[in-house]
Amino acid sequence: MKKILTLICCTIVLAATSCKKEYVSTSPSATTIFDTTPAFVLDNSSNPGSIHGYTTTLAVPEITDYYNNHGAVLVYLDDNGTYEQLPDVYDGISYRFVYTKGTLYIDAQNADGSVPTAAPPALKLKIVLVP
């Protein structure tokens, strides 16, 4: 009986000492606030890729190839101190975003897919880059 207990204890000690600790360090996310967006421009052409709505372009040099390949870009719309993540429908207008290296595009159209009668107001945005 002692031999069996000794064998079990040795197995447990051997298993516990063979574990390898691994530390993964990540860099924190970066946040950028835009107090106002550039004016929206009507994109209602019959060209392929037209959104049939309004679009605006923001220069965000923090968006690098790294975020295209490995990270994530999150965009939030500020509604009087409350942030809602895009895509979102706000006041009957559907907002979405697309990004490429250094540029963020925000599109707006009516929730039913039609062109809004007027350009959306300037937006306050929060952009979060997650590594």
Side-chain angles (χ1 to χ4, degrees):
M1 185 69 173
K2 286 184 182 183
K3 288 183 181 183
I4 294 175
L5 284 175
T6 304
L7 185 59
I8 291 174
C9 289
C10 289
T11 305
I12 292 172
V13 169
L14 182 63
T17 58
S18 65
C19 294
K20 177 183 171 187
K21 290 186 180 180
E22 206 172 301
Y23 296 99
V24 177
S25 62
T26 59
S27 57
S29 60
T31 301
T32 303
I33 303 284
F34 280 88
D35 288 330
T36 184
T37 56
F40 280 87
V41 177
L42 182 61
D43 180 11
N44 195 21
S45 66
S46 60
N47 296 332
S50 172
I51 65 155
H52 303 291
Y54 287 88
T55 187
T56 187
T57 304
L58 294 123
V60 186
E62 295 87 359
I63 300 176
T64 61
D65 281 333
Y66 176 82
Y67 294 102
N68 284 332
N69 298 325
H70 305 291
V73 177
L74 306 174
V75 179
Y76 297 88
L77 175 65
D78 183 1
D79 179 24
N80 297 321
T82 302
Y83 290 98
E84 296 186 31
Q85 188 173 5
L86 295 185
D88 188 29
V89 176
Y90 181 72
D91 284 339
I93 298 176
S94 174
Y95 294 96
R96 71 176 188 104
F97 74 96
V98 180
Y99 65 91
T100 59
K101 179 181 175 184
T103 309
L104 179 77
Y105 304 95
I106 298 179
D107 302 330
Q109 60 183 196
N110 284 339
D112 64 1
S114 63
V115 178
T117 55
L123 304 173
K124 183 174 181 181
L125 299 173
K126 178 167 86 170
I127 301 168
V128 180
L129 303 176
V130 181

